[in-house]
Amino acid sequence: MGAVNSERRGRVLVLAMDNPPVNGLGHGVRSGLMAGIEEALGDDGIDAVVITGSGRMFSGGADITEFGTPKSSADPILPDVIKKIEASPKPVVAAIHGVSAGGGLELPLGCHYRIAHSQTRLGLPEVNLGILPGAGGTQRMPRLTGVEAALKLIVSGDLVPAKKAHALGFVDEVVDGDVVETALKLIVSGDLVPAKKAHALGFVDEVVDGDVVETAVAAAERLAAGAELRRTGSLEDRIAQDRGKPEIFEAFKKSIARRARGYEAPYACIESIENSVKLPFDEGLAAERDIFRRCVASTQSQALRHAFFAEREATKIPDVPKDTPVKTIETAGVIGAGTMGGGIAMNFANAGIPVTIVETEQDNLERGLGIIEKNYANTVSKGRLSQDEMDARVGRVNGSTDLADLAGADIVIEAVFENMALKKEIFGKLDEICKADAILASNTSTLDVNEIAAATSRPESVIGTHFFSPANVMKLLENVRGEKTSKEAIATVMGLSKKIGKVGVLVGVCDGFVGNRMLYAYTRQAGFLLEEGALPHQVDKVIFDFGFPMGPFAMGDLAGLDVGWKIRQEREHVRPKDLRYSPVADRICEMGRFGQKTSAGYYSYKEGDRTPVPDPKIEALIVQASQDLGIERREISDEEILQRCMYPLINEGAKILEEGLALRASDIDVVWIYGYGFPRYRGGPMFYADTVGVKHVYDTMSRLHDEHGDWLEPAPLLKQLAESGKGFGDL
Ligand code: T1G
């Protein structure tokens, strides 16, 4: 709920929102602001108001947990609070620090003057929740920044630094906090410095944002002394030139088509921003509210809000309390300078942690270090990294051919190829070399972490850290808890995940962990669909249209078909002979077609072109396989393709939950959204199951099981939820 604390500073009333952890604009804060403004308006002893936030930020926006909950009529809605502020005859100044997001920025947009600390990040990220700014942001922002900038800001949902916000026109003044220059000035001048600078210089432990609020109080007094108040809603100069130009909005829609594919909210934002030049202000506000209500009620927004909280929930491990001691990771080691090893090392260098890569042969090492440098140079050439920063990062990556150079590392991640004997040998050596409290981690994607841990005398310090390729890009990190992995090791690696820019999810030990195990269930059925009558491009189109970046066969060609082929050959001796197995993938590999790397796989590829082209040779191979297996090919609907691919994946997720190998269904959603491109606007596979109805998934799985046999046996949990009318969200 939260509240608003008020304090008088001379003739200025300072209202400080107080609703930890992010000063969400819950109804306590909204009614507190309304009461504060009314108090100021009714008191002749008050000339102006300053609004600020207590703690580490101004406000993270509306309290998302309140969405869809009943509102009492006495409870002012945010648009009305902002309207009251904007119409106030007494100046209202916003003093902003930390973060100002969503409604937490719309509030200052309604104020008459905005002051932000230089370290502040500001933006309207509502689109990431499947909604649009619903408290005037789509009408006021264009009046301050112009339409083009407002479109970019609101449709991207990005938070921008204060100086950029000032340059764009929606912040009027930036209070600086440059430490070094101030230190020099301080020592020379003996001046009094604002609290925050003293804090930045380590002189005081905590500041209460004195300087931003102090600056705002001074500005409020200045405005109260007679300056004309700038009411955002009445500003016309920045939008006048964009009236009657629908082409601006059409062009913008075209420019986002690729990255907004499948999403509804970006277009709702554009629709409302267009109203800012088409309609009078108040009508634009009313239309914005209608669009907002439409979006909030949408399945997409529910899915995106689920994904927002799921990502934060995944960081909480029930039996690893928040105060579990964690090890500080100041240095890291990586074994193997191949594609994965190099990418993993870059994550540490990017996070400011020196890392040593160890390879067996000097030339393999140099090749690996060369690829890292090339990757950084590529990013610099795209203007996404400065040369200085590249040099700093490359400077943090050291190479070696001697494992002993990892003796001092706080964590060592082994990233050699998937061979148990080799991994056990390496962990045995690390056990002798590494310092007692080092974390020993394996990037294995399929092998038994307990067996690897047993090769050391300290299994409690062994954990799996399964990165996804390319490891310096993909955000997911499956942290694999072994039977003996300590809580300290888990807490350390979960914390480290965030530090190196990853979304860490804790999973248990099983074949393929969470992600790959569910992937097998999906791609296996995709393979069977080919034998029964479908073709790769038909299956891929269905999955692409569903929202994945690509379908299973194009994905296989991208990853390289030889990787899976090698694993299937290694495992042939343990494969259950009574269960159906598709020979199609093996036959393609036997032709030397390994995908994009050989310009031929399920598809063929022109030189230098990654566009998959259906290949009659593969169609013939598939038809032949059907004949060899005695399967009569049939028409297969897109709906069946989607169900045959997604429902077994969900079913496998249910089994994983039953076995306790994932802590929550929402963790599985995070794995699939960040590791496998599951469309975020569908909330992940388990949330998706709840939207189509678990009973429907169960009934379909039961039918498919009757038709196609054992791989499709419904999980007991799926049955239980279906019969109890519940969903994964109820677990
Ligand atoms: N409502 C409720 N809870 C929130 C919240 C919010 N807006 N933002 C964060 N939390 C919780 C979060 O779940 C976590 O909880 C804790 O706060 C710390 O968050 C009318 C309707 C602000 C940049 O989209 O992007 O305004 O896990 O770990 O890394 O137009 O939180 O500790 O129990 O993320 O420092 C628009 C959402 C809302 C911003 C801080 N606002 N928040 O990041 O902390 S819609 C947003 C963030 C709106 C109006 C509309 C980030 C942050 P727990 P955290 P952080």
Side-chain angles (χ1 to χ4, degrees), residues 86 273 451 642:
E86 188 168 57
I273 296 167
E451 195 177 337
L642 185 65

Side-chain angles (χ1 to χ4, degrees), residues 21 56 60 62-64 67 103 106 125-126 129 133-134 308-309 312 316:
R56 66 191 180 100
D63 186 338
I64 310 168
F67 286 19
E106 290 172 295
E126 284 87 342
L129 300 170
F308 175 87
F309 287 114
R312 284 152 182 82
K316 300 166 188 153

Side-chain angles (χ1 to χ4, degrees), residues 193 245 259 340 664-665:
V193 296
K245 294 184 181 158
R259 67 183 155 82
M340 292 306 289
R664 320 159 182 107

